[in-house]
Amino acid sequence: MPKTNEELILALKETGVLRSKQVAAALRAVDRGDFVPEELRNVAYEDEALPIGYRQTISQPYTVVFMLELLGAKEGETIFDVGHGSGWQTALLAHMVGESGKVYATEIVPELCKFGEANITKYPELYRRVVFGCGDASRGAALADGAKFDRLIAAADVKKLPVRWRDSLRNGGVLVYPSHGVIKKE
């Protein structure tokens, strides 16, 4: 079982899920241990989902990396992150888009809106790249004031993809989301 962030990164490389230098650099820059409840810090680097309260979890590292690799976020892009929860994936995305990029992150659980945003403040340079919203993202990307996104990633299972998500993407934009137990990319 990995006991450090670097051991987690090496384990993810060994599985073959972690392939890109960009995702690896983000994982090195953003320590998962900073995004779990204090009482779970001793298991923060294990490759499993961990409870963060309100019947929600910080996703399994393998799943997060798999989805980030599919998403293929690039420097300078604008990303919509649906269901930011603990904020870990949002912080990883903020690192990946760089200083000229922007991440719009939303969460439906009010208490997790605060938890995730507070966690990202531990990384002030990444925090400045994120616009936070709290509410139902299936109604669209209202927090972005009509902005178009290069990519959209959702953490929770999507039973029916909201039409507004597709409408919020630029031409050639990418959607990555779980649906009925399968990760989809459009």
Side-chain angles (χ1 to χ4, degrees):
M1 291 288 164
K3 300 287 186 217
T4 66
N5 199 50
E6 190 59 35
E7 287 178 12
L8 172 61
I9 293 165
L10 291 173
L12 291 166
K13 280 184 178 180
E14 287 175 8
T15 67
V17 72
L18 177 57
R19 299 178 314 273
S20 71
K21 289 180 183 178
Q22 186 184 25
V23 175
L27 289 167
R28 281 194 178 83
V30 179
D31 191 314
R32 186 175 191 243
D34 291 332
F35 295 84
V36 300
E38 189 60 40
E39 64 273 13
L40 296 176
R41 281 257 342 189
N42 64 325
V43 293
Y45 308 108
E46 293 182 13
D47 191 20
E48 61 183 65
L50 299 172
I52 56 173
Y54 312 97
R55 296 186 359 225
Q56 301 299 311
T57 62
I58 180 174
S59 295
Q60 174 187 14
Y62 185 97
T63 303
V64 171
V65 169
F66 182 81
M67 291 179 70
L68 290 176
E69 291 282 1
L70 277 179
L71 189 68
K74 295 177 179 60
E75 195 163 325
E77 289 187 327
T78 303
I79 312 268
F80 188 33
D81 183 23
V82 178
H84 71 66
S86 72
W88 183 48
Q89 179 173 274
T90 304
L92 293 168
L93 288 165
H95 184 274
M96 293 171 71
V97 299
E99 290 181 25
S100 61
K102 187 65 84 179
V103 177
Y104 289 83
T106 190
E107 172 58 52
I108 197 167
V109 180
E111 295 83 0
L112 293 181
C113 292
K114 295 173 188 164
F115 179 66
E117 186 169 354
N119 285 336
I120 297 176
T121 63
K122 298 169 188 172
Y123 297 84
E125 70 287 354
L126 301 180
Y127 181 76
R128 287 190 291 276
R129 301 174 193 171
V130 181
V131 175
F132 291 93
C134 194
D136 186 351
S138 68
R139 301 189 194 288
L143 74 144
D145 294 326
K148 289 288 190 175
F149 300 101
D150 298 294
R151 299 172 195 281
L152 184 149
I153 186 168
D157 192 63
V158 177
K159 305 221 179 327
K160 183 177 182 209
L161 190 69
V163 172
R164 290 186 179 180
W165 288 6
R166 279 197 186 94
D167 292 346
S168 70
L169 287 175
R170 289 188 172 107
N171 285 340
V174 175
L175 283 165
V176 174
Y177 59 95
S179 182
H180 307 288
V182 176
I183 305 293
K184 295 188 175 190
K185 176 182 177 180
E186 294 185 22

